[in-house]
């Protein structure tokens, strides 16, 4: 089986979010980058588990990004995966990124394409669905469980107030979230091995962006917390009821 | 070029987030001088003409029972065919669980730019610019949609539906049939609870509550208010509460009118999932708890002393 895992880099959650160039660009200077946690903890780890079940499986990682995404890709390879492909392009347009990934996917004829449910920076949750449509494949979003028996996947996905279980034949695109797998820490052997795994750089195919970012805004500062004395919790309830009109 | 709104349903009922989408779409139609039409898939028990109350003039209905459950590929094919047929300029849907599966497919199929997680009406003074949340609630981006057709997936609870009066015309839409490649085998719903992602009010507990046996006060307050319950990751990891209640960077994200946090420290990873809430209320015994910096109201105090009094006071109002 051939599995493609889509990997994105994202600022560490604790990174300071600020913008430069008239608020048109994220201030990336000094920011610590991590593998997008949904891609790493759920999509990649589940792919690795599937390979452990069936060692003949092949895992490829793909990222769309410039050379500064390479440390992240090496980190992902340290967890597992046989080789990585980097499409040499920086874009914040989901369709542009999905077009690049679908070109790679078409060429590699993968049975399974896994993504995280969204990235922590642009929160689009769009790549998996777009790739599936471009390849005319079924897509299960927000998966919380993924099992495979032969050619048939059983996938549980989140719905409002519960879950839905479906069976789908491969090939298939799945976006993964909590529940699909458990976080793993790379070991020394993995880290050493990652250095010699192939990381192929390919140039992007021509696509036209469907959207562009005009600028960014930071949320207005909170007015500050209105504290109520612990002796008068009734006063808090009154404020929520009468002032904030929440119930 | 009308605005087309996809109306999502569950078990025959239109979801609250779809009324928001309908009202939002109708507002765009009014702003751009066109009409708002809706598309409904599957057999419903809800009354469709009453979508007119939200500004919809026409409902295209595919009354096919097999569409009562999502198959993103099928749904996309049908919505795209209709959008093309009526020459829709904007397609609106809720960015809920189903919207997140359909919207990106629709964008790729129609080569139409998508704003996923919109929180504002479009500004058409210079392009077609829609605001959305980015960096997990820590910032916003204004996105310009460059294509003739635009797709907007609206964040649930970001736009209050406006209910007027009107009756929509319901017409049948008959797409060409195609077999589904997704076979539904089970639907498991937690009965009798408000789904977290749809909730207007959320009561959440953290490790400060000491153990699962103390969740009675969280549940009681939630029940009185018709709120959903949530928890921190520490609590879900300790198996005090089910995993679907876990909110934050690695769990669900919510944007209710009120997020009421009891005994949660407010770590940055937790805030990432809740900072889009309109009002945040924090009960914590530590005045230095980081959550107070993100809060609108709070009490520095022991939850075990404060909560019973809060419940009693709410009971007076609601009881
Ligand atoms: C990569 C990563 C991802 C993460 N993702 C998430 C996530 O998605 N969601 C999440 O929640 N966390 C996440 N975390 C963990 C997060 O950093 C915190 O550890 C976690 O949120 C703490 O949970 P807590 O506030 O319930 O517990 P604690 O940090 O133990 O805080 C308990 C709080 O209760 C208060 N308290 C104690 N007793 C009382 C009392 N009697 N009355 C009132 N208050 C009391 C204390 O003052 C304290 O503030 C993540 C961490 C990492 C590193």
């Amino acid at each position: 089986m051939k599995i493609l895992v889509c990997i994105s880099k994202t600022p560490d959650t604790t990174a300071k979010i600020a913008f430069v160039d008239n608020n048109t660009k994220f201030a990336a200077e000094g920011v610590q980058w991590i593998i997008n946690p949904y891609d790493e903890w759920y999509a990649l780890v589940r792919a690795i588990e599937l390979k452990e079940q069936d060692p003949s499986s092949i895992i490829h990682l793909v990222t769309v990004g410039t050379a500064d995404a390479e440390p992240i890709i090496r980190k992902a390879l340290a967890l597992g995966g046989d080789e990585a492909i980097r499409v040499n392009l920086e874009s914040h347009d989901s369709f542009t990124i999905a077009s690049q990934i679908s070109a790679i996917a078409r060429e590699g004829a993968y049975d399974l394409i896994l993504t995280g449910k969204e990235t922590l920076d642009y929160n689009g949750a769009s790549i998996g669905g777009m790739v599936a449509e471009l390849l005319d494949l079924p897509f299960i979003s927000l998966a919380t469980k993924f099992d495979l028996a032969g050619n048939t996947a059983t996938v549980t996905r989140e719905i409002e107030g519960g879950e839905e279980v479906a069976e789908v034949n491969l090939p298939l695109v799945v976006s993964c979230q909590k529940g699909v797998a458990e976080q793993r820490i790379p070991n020394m052997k993995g880290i050493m091995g990652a250095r010699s795994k192939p990381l192929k750089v390919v140039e992007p195919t021509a696509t036209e962006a469907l959207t562009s970012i005009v600028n960014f805004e930071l949320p207005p500062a909170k007015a500050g917390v209105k504290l109520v004395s612990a002796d008068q919790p009734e006063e808090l309830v009154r404020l929520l009821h009468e002032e904030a009109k929440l119930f | 070029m009308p605005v087309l709104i996809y109306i999502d349903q569950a078990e025959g009922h239109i979801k609250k987030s779809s009324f928001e989408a309908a009202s939002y779409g109708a507002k765009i139609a009014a702003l751009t001088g066109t009409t708002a039409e809706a598309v409904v898939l599957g057999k419903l028990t809800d009354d469709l003409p009453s979508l007119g109350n939200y500004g919809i003039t026409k409902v295209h209905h595919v009354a096919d029972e097999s569409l009562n459950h999502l198959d993103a590929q099928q749904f996309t094919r049908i919505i795209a065919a209709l959008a093309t047929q009526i020459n829709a300029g904007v397609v609106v849907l809720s960015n809920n669980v189903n919207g997140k599966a359909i919207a990106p497919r629709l964008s790729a199929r129609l080569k139409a730019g998508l704003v996923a997680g919109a929180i504002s009406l479009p500004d058409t003074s210079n392009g077609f610019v829609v605001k959305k949340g980015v960096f997990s609630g820590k910032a916003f981006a204004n996105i310009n949609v460059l294509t003739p057709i635009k797709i907007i997936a609206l964040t649930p609870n970001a736009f209050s539906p406006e209910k007027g009066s009107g009756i929509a015309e319901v017409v049948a839409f008959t797409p060409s049939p195609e077999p589904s490649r997704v076979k539904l085998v089970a639907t498991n719903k937690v009965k009798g609870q408000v789904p977290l992602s749809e909730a207007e009010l959320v009561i959440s507990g953290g490790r400060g509550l000491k153990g699962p046996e103390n969740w009675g006060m969280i549940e009681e307050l939630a029940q009185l208010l018709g709120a959903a319950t949530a928890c921190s990751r520490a609590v879900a990891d300790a198996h005090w509460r089910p995993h679907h209640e876990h909110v934050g960077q690695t769990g669900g994200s919510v944007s209710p009118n009120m997020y009421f946090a009891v005994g949660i420290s407010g770590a940055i990873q937790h805030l990432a999932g809740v900072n889009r809430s309109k009002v945040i209320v924090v009960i914590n015994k530590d005045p230095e708890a980081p959550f107070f910096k993100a809060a609108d109201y709070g009490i520095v105090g022991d939850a075990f002393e404060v909560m019973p009094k809060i419940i009693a006071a709410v009971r007076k109002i609601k009881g």
Side-chain angles (χ1 to χ4, degrees), chain A residues 12-14 34 37-38 41-42 120 178 183, chain B residues 204-210 215 217 231-237 240 246-252 259 261-274 282-292 299-307:
Chain A
D12 183 76
T13 330
T14 55
I34 58 171
Y38 299 109
W41 300 6
Y42 310 127
L120 290 187
K178 184 174 172 158
Q183 182 186 9
Chain B
S204 189
R207 199 150 54 185
L209 290 177
K210 310 279 188 282
W215 245 261
M217 48 194 193
C231 69
S232 69
R233 176 174 170 207
V235 163
D237 282 354
W240 294 358
H246 159 194
V247 293
Q249 177 194 311
T250 46
Y259 185 79
V262 187
I264 304 177
S265 58
I268 194 153
Q269 298 89 356
H270 185 83
L271 294 180
V274 307
V282 170
I283 311 289
N284 196 303
K285 70 173 184 190
D286 174 10
E288 301 295 320
F291 223 147
F292 284 117
I299 291 181
V300 179
D302 186 334
F304 294 92
E305 288 167 20
V306 168
M307 283 299 283

Side-chain angles (χ1 to χ4, degrees), chain A residues 10-19 26-27 33-34 37-38 41-42 92-95 98-99 117-142 154-169 171-173 175 177-178 182-183 208-220 222-247, chain B residues 8 10 15 17 69-70 72-73 76-77 95-98 100-109 111-117 129 131-147 181-191 194-198 201 225 233 236-237 243 246 248-253 257-258 260 268-269 272 275-281 283 292-302 305-306 309-311 313-314 317-318:
Chain A
T10 186
D12 183 76
T13 330
T14 55
K16 183 175 160 49
I17 304 302
F19 302 99
F26 173 60
W33 296 89
I34 58 171
Y38 299 109
W41 300 6
Y42 310 127
H92 295 308
D93 175 59
S94 306
F95 182 74
S99 299
K117 77 160 179 176
E118 64 179 55
T119 57
L120 290 187
D121 44 7
Y122 292 95
N123 306 111
S126 303
I127 301 298
M130 288 182 174
V131 169
E133 187 62 31
L134 290 168
L135 299 174
D136 192 25
L137 293 179
F139 171 51
I140 306 288
S141 58
L142 309 177
T154 303
V155 195
T156 304
R157 73 171 186 110
E158 176 195 334
I159 58 172
E160 283 94 358
E163 56 180 36
E164 207 170 79
V165 188
E167 284 177 3
V168 200
N169 285 340
L172 170 69
V173 183
S175 81
Q177 61 167 333
K178 184 174 172 158
E182 292 282 335
Q183 182 186 9
E208 228 164 285
L210 307 183
T211 61
S212 69
I213 296 177
V214 178
N215 57 14
F216 295 95
E217 292 171 23
L218 289 169
K222 283 247 173 188
V225 57
K226 205 176 237 186
L227 286 179
V228 173
S229 155
D231 301 329
Q232 289 181 308
E234 304 78 18
E235 174 60 8
L236 175 67
V237 174
R238 191 193 67 79
L239 286 169
L240 298 178
H241 179 56
E242 289 174 14
E243 184 180 87
K245 299 194 168 39
L246 290 163
F247 47 81
Chain B
D8 201 31
K15 292 179 189 172
S17 54
H69 291 281
L70 175 75
Q73 204 167 10
T76 299
R77 190 175 56 81
N95 200 36
N96 66 353
V97 287
N98 288 352
K100 284 179 182 168
I102 301 166
R105 292 201 78 120
L106 212 49
S107 167
R109 191 175 184 92
K111 302 281 177 292
L114 163 68
V115 181
V129 178
K131 191 186 286 197
K132 67 162 277 181
V134 288
F135 294 97
S136 304
K138 286 180 229 153
F140 304 107
N142 290 304
I143 308 289
N144 193 9
V145 184
L146 306 169
T147 49
R181 293 196 241 169
V182 178
K183 187 174 134 211
L184 181 75
V185 289
T187 305
N188 309 318
K189 282 221 170 186
V190 189
K191 282 274 173 259
V194 182
L196 190 51
S197 54
E198 294 238 307
L201 307 172
L225 292 172
R233 176 174 170 207
D237 282 354
H243 276 294
H246 159 194
Q249 177 194 311
T250 46
S253 51
N257 295 343
M258 174 177 80
F260 192 108
I268 194 153
Q269 298 89 356
N275 54 13
R276 275 152 286 192
S277 310
K278 295 195 183 105
V279 172
I280 292 179
V281 186
I283 311 289
F292 284 117
K293 290 204 177 66
D296 301 280
Y297 296 94
I299 291 181
V300 179
D302 186 334
E305 288 167 20
V306 168
K309 292 182 188 155
I310 287 179
I311 290 167
V314 170
I317 296 171
K318 289 273 159 186

